[in-house]
């Protein structure tokens, strides 16, 4: 479903992806771990060409992401993205944040957009918050709205970039719970996170990134229980 082939990227003279190769199969969850600055965000941003690459190839299904012929908007429509900082529109309600994209991007009539929005809010446990403005929601609830908003657009793939890193510890569980349910439903996901427990429980594959490379990868019970790479050992000893 997603394939990286020797992907290299520089910011100026600074190489941030130094030959990344890896595959994510349909319906599988890949968790990306690694120290700050190791290239995790850059890697997942390359999938929708939010970051262009200089060498190698990236495929989403049979679409060659870097190809000039690619309809980038159509590609982006297939992929939902949830970032660390929930960027909800502050002047719109939870439901309004979801229906906006459905109406504007997908040309779905308002009544149907609202129905879909309500359904997605229920799926993330926020059926009763449809009319709440973001300021009235907790960080965890805002992040669940951001997930619902992405899901409403019916993506084939969901990318998460440290979705719980900005949250108070007691709000993390609710967001991870929603992500676990999504994984169980068969969504193809790449999740950048420091939540080792989530990786252990949900990931089909773990990638440990270091210095712009996947330094170690495999099933979580192997990578997390018997790490080989010294930096991964230290990373796990510190708790992510
Ligand atoms: P991570 O998500 O693992 O913390 P990033 O992908 O954000 O790592 O960053 C990888 C490296 O690329 C870091 O050294 C970072 O400083 C650098 N970097 C990220 N974005 C930019 C940018 N827009 N311009 C220049 N350097 C950047
Ligand atoms: Mg990052």
């Amino acid at each position: 479903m997603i394939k990286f082939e020797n992907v290299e990227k520089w910011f100026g003279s600074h190489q941030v992806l130094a030959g990344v190769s890896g595959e994510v199969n349909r319906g599988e969850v890949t968790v990306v771990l690694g120290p700050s600055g190791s290239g995790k965000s850059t890697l997942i941003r390359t999938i929708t060409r939010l970051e262009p690459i200089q060498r190698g190839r990236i495929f989403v299904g049979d679409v060659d992401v870097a190809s000039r012929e690619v309809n980038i908007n159509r590609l982006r429509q297939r992929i939902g993205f949830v970032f660390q900082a929930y960027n909800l529109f502050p002047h719109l309600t939870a439901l309004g944040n979801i229906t906006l994209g459905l109406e504007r991007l997908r040309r779905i009539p308002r009544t149907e957009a609202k129905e879909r929005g309500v359904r997605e809010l229920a799926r993330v446990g926020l059926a009763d918050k449809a009319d709440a403005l973001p300021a009235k929601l907790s960080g965890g609830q805002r992040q669940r709205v951001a997930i619902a908003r992405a899901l409403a657009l019916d993506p084939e793939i969901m990318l998460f970039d440290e979705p719980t890193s900005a949250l108070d510890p007691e709000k993390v569980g609710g967001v991870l719970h929603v992500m676990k349910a999504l994984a169980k439903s068969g969504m193809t996901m790449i999740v950048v996170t420091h939540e080792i427990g989530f990786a252990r429980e949900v990931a089909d594959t773990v990638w440990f990134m270091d210095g712009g490379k996947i330094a170690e990868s495999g099933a979580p019970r192997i990578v997390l229980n018997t790490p080989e790479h010294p930096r991964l050992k230290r990373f796990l000893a510190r708790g992510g």
Side-chain angles (χ1 to χ4, degrees):
M1 187 89 211
I2 305 169
K3 189 173 185 186
F4 299 95
E5 285 180 4
N6 277 307
V7 171
E8 299 189 38
K9 176 176 181 69
W10 286 260
F11 285 111
S13 60
H14 179 197
Q15 185 164 21
V16 295
L17 297 177
V20 173
S21 297
E23 282 184 53
V24 178
N25 295 319
R26 185 183 294 275
E28 290 193 351
V29 178
T30 296
V31 167
V32 183
L33 305 174
S36 178
S38 58
K40 306 180 299 295
S41 296
T42 305
L43 182 69
I44 63 169
R45 290 165 62 83
T46 62
I47 297 167
T48 53
R49 225 202 272 165
L50 286 170
E51 297 291 355
I53 61 173
Q54 279 82 39
R55 283 219 192 120
R57 301 227 278 180
I58 302 170
F59 292 93
V60 174
D62 53 11
V63 174
D64 181 347
V65 173
S67 157
R68 257 182 229 157
E69 282 85 67
V70 168
N71 180 331
I72 199 71
N73 289 327
R74 189 173 301 161
L75 175 71
R76 286 177 183 164
Q77 283 187 7
R78 299 170 58 192
I79 302 173
F81 218 128
V82 177
F83 300 91
Q84 179 174 328
Y86 21 81
N87 16 43
L88 300 178
F89 292 107
H91 61 290
L92 294 177
T93 63
L95 183 59
N97 266 281
I98 297 173
T99 55
L100 183 74
L102 291 171
E103 291 179 67
R104 297 265 176 91
L105 301 175
R106 298 293 155 86
R107 307 268 166 226
I108 289 172
R110 173 153 298 181
T111 327
E112 196 189 325
K114 280 193 168 166
E115 278 171 19
R116 210 192 277 191
V118 167
R119 201 162 62 226
E120 294 303 336
L121 279 173
R123 190 165 157 190
V124 299
L126 294 175
D128 55 336
K129 299 294 182 189
D131 297 324
L133 288 169
K136 296 286 178 195
L137 300 173
S138 73
Q141 290 170 337
R142 283 195 287 250
Q143 202 56 314
R144 278 145 67 193
V145 173
I147 295 172
R149 177 173 62 179
L151 292 177
L153 296 166
D154 203 18
E156 290 168 54
I157 295 167
M158 284 285 288
L159 306 176
F160 294 87
D161 194 355
E162 301 203 24
T164 60
S165 293
L167 302 180
D168 296 334
E170 75 271 19
K171 308 294 186 204
V172 169
V175 174
L176 294 181
H177 178 79
V178 165
M179 292 167 63
K180 277 177 207 167
L182 185 60
K184 274 212 186 102
S185 79
M187 178 64 75
T188 307
M189 295 163 58
I190 300 184
V191 183
V192 177
T193 185
H194 294 285
E195 297 289 336
I196 307 287
F198 178 85
R200 214 177 268 288
E201 198 179 328
V202 181
D204 294 288
T205 307
V206 171
W207 292 350
F208 175 69
M209 285 193 74
D210 187 37
K213 287 188 173 153
I214 299 177
E216 195 161 336
S217 68
R221 66 178 186 286
I222 294 168
V223 171
L224 301 176
N225 293 351
T226 54
E228 287 181 2
H229 199 279
R231 293 215 53 175
L232 175 56
K233 287 183 190 172
R234 266 181 278 150
F235 182 84
L236 293 172
R238 278 205 318 267

